[in-house]
């Protein structure tokens, strides 16, 4: 059976989705999302989830299927993604894994294994760590992680609250650092023949301009209303941390003006894009395509197909 897997990754606003759709059309493929926030039903505008018109006739998987109140883990994503990928292989389709959540992509392609903790004790620990992170901040929690798992801590940014909490949860509940879990997982051969593209820009200002324009478009599409709904939900702790929502919270509470909140949203999105690119640079087998080097979208699609074929 053909076990090839095409991967298109990159920072937010880099054009991953449109490229994945074009590649899928040429490779008899379907798109499997690798975005940790597009899984939620009510997060449409702020996550730049593709609509029916943008998707065209290309089926998309693992988007918009989870209620805001439900927590979604790396372990669960891997199980869900592999089930879809394996089914597409049996149907003779090419899976196109597409997204900006680097941990999701590496967990699927490099056979990383993460335990799915259950039970009251694990939930209590997770909530306690989340509360401590809110009170103490990411910098303090990252220093704490460094005491238990310096290797993982060195790869994280203080703003990566979710990943910091997750790494602390793993080492405190199992006694084994996440870095060791990763090493053990990689001892097992990867499940797919993966070809991966990472989109980047020679001129970072071009990417930042695309990000700013995307935020403006989101606002025109109704981001404020969507964000207010999410932030008022009492059971959406994970979704509330998504960029595009928490940055608007000060505006809704009267702490700052809309203009100030929007500028902060653009700034934080640019910072997030930088962190995404830093993550993907560590994947040595990936092919980097610099979007601003191509004279046309068609030329970029041709280059991507040549690599992924």
């Amino acid at each position: 059976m053909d076990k090839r897997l095409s991967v298109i990754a990159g920072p937010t606003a880099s054009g991953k989705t449109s490229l994945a759709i074009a590649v899928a059309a040429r490779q008899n493929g379907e798109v499997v999302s690798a975005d940790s926030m597009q899984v939620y039903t009510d997060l449409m505008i702020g996550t730049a989830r593709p609509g029916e018109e943008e998707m065209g006739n290309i089926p998309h998987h693992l988007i918009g299927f989870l209620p805001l109140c439900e927590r979604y883990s790396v372990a669960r994503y891997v199980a869900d993604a592999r089930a879809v990928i394996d089914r597409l292989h049996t149907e003779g389709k090419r899976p196109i894994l597409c997204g900006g959540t680097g941990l999701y992509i590496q967990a699927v392609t490099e056979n990383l294994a993460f335990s799915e903790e259950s039970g009251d004790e694990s939930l209590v620990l997770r909530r306690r760590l989340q509360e401590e992170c809110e009170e103490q901040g990411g910098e303090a929690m990252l220093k704490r992680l460094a005491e238990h798992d310096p290797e993982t801590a060195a790869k994280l940014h203080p703003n990566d609250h979710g990943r910091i909490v997750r790494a602390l949860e793993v080492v405190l509940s199992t006694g084994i650092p996440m870095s060791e879990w990763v090493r053990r997982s990689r001892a097992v051969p990867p499940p797919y023949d993966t070809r991966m593209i990472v989109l980047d820009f020679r001129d970072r200002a071009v990417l930042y301009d695309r990000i700013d324009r995307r935020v403006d478009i989101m606002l025109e599409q109704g981001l404020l209303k969507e964000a207010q709904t999410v932030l008022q939900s009492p059971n959406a702790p994970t979704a509330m941390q998504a960029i595009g929502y928490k940055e608007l919270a000060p505006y809704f509470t009267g702490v700052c003006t809309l203009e100030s909140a929007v500028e902060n949203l653009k700034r934080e999105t640019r910072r997030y894009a930088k962190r995404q690119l830093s993550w993907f640079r560590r994947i040595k087998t990936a092919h980097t395509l610099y979007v601003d080097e191509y004279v046309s979208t068609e030329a970029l699609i041709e280059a991507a197909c040549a690599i992924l074929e």
Side-chain angles (χ1 to χ4, degrees):
M1 184 190 301
D2 184 359
K3 301 290 283 185
R4 285 179 294 175
L5 174 64
S6 298
V7 180
I8 298 176
T12 184
S14 60
K16 300 182 297 295
T17 299
S18 58
L19 179 60
I21 292 169
V23 170
R26 298 191 183 198
Q27 293 189 343
N28 187 32
E30 298 184 8
V31 176
V32 183
S33 174
D35 187 298
S36 63
M37 291 300 161
Q38 287 187 1
V39 298
Y40 291 103
T41 305
D42 297 326
L43 305 190
M44 181 76 187
I45 300 170
T47 63
R49 200 170 83 209
E52 292 296 328
E53 185 175 347
E54 184 179 0
M55 288 189 288
N57 296 319
I58 302 299
H60 282 58
H61 305 274
L62 302 185
I63 60 172
F65 67 94
L66 204 67
L68 285 176
C69 61
E70 193 166 339
R71 182 178 181 272
Y72 199 60
S73 66
V74 181
R76 184 173 169 187
Y77 173 75
V78 170
D80 289 345
R82 287 185 177 168
V84 173
I85 291 168
D86 293 345
R87 176 173 59 78
L88 291 177
H89 280 144
T90 62
E91 295 174 356
K93 300 281 189 177
R94 175 73 64 84
I96 314 291
L97 191 65
C98 174
T101 304
L103 183 58
Y104 277 18
I105 291 173
Q106 283 194 275
V108 170
T109 61
E110 298 183 17
N111 207 37
L112 304 188
F114 294 94
S115 59
E116 182 70 271
E117 297 88 356
S118 60
D120 293 340
E121 290 185 6
S122 178
L123 289 174
V124 169
L125 173 60
R126 183 178 308 141
R127 287 170 183 158
R128 176 168 62 81
L129 290 171
Q130 289 171 340
E131 290 172 359
E132 290 174 358
C133 191
E134 290 177 6
E135 295 171 358
Q136 302 173 23
E139 193 77 51
M141 297 297 282
L142 190 58
K143 289 180 180 178
R144 181 177 172 188
L145 176 61
E147 296 174 1
H148 298 278
D149 187 357
E151 189 174 336
T152 299
K155 298 177 181 178
L156 297 179
H157 187 278
N159 289 344
D160 291 332
H161 292 184
R163 291 172 183 169
I164 294 170
V165 167
R166 170 63 178 168
L168 278 168
E169 180 187 346
V170 167
V171 69
L172 294 177
S173 62
T174 68
I176 301 172
M178 182 175 282
S179 53
E180 178 58 27
W181 281 111
V182 170
R183 269 189 289 275
R184 293 181 184 184
S185 301
R186 286 176 174 166
V188 180
Y192 307 114
D193 176 12
T194 301
R195 292 168 175 80
M196 179 174 174
I197 284 173
V198 173
L199 298 182
D200 199 349
F201 292 78
R202 291 290 188 189
D203 184 355
R204 192 60 57 83
V206 175
L207 173 60
Y208 291 166
D209 181 62
R210 289 168 68 120
I211 289 172
D212 290 349
R213 283 189 286 113
R214 169 176 279 188
V215 170
D216 291 335
I217 292 171
M218 286 178 172
L219 289 166
E220 294 172 2
Q221 292 173 336
L223 176 60
L224 281 178
K225 183 177 180 180
E226 182 176 276
Q228 192 168 31
T229 300
V230 171
L231 294 169
Q232 289 177 344
S233 174
N235 298 310
T238 301
M240 285 180 186
Q241 295 306 308
I243 289 179
Y245 303 101
K246 64 181 185 295
E247 290 80 11
L248 295 174
Y251 164 68
F252 293 122
T253 56
V255 174
C256 71
T257 64
L258 177 58
E259 182 181 12
S260 178
V262 170
E263 184 52 45
N264 183 48
L265 170 54
K266 291 179 178 179
R267 181 170 55 251
E268 289 304 313
T269 306
R270 293 193 295 265
R271 288 174 177 170
Y272 176 58
K274 288 176 64 176
R275 295 197 296 274
Q276 287 177 297
L277 285 168
S278 295
W279 183 288
F280 291 125
R281 276 195 214 95
R282 296 197 297 265
I283 304 178
K284 304 302 181 184
T285 56
H287 298 265
T288 301
L289 293 182
Y290 293 96
V291 178
D292 48 346
E293 285 188 342
Y294 290 88
V295 296
S296 67
T297 301
E298 185 62 28
L300 177 63
I301 295 171
E302 291 291 343
C305 287
I307 293 170
L308 297 175
E309 195 60 55

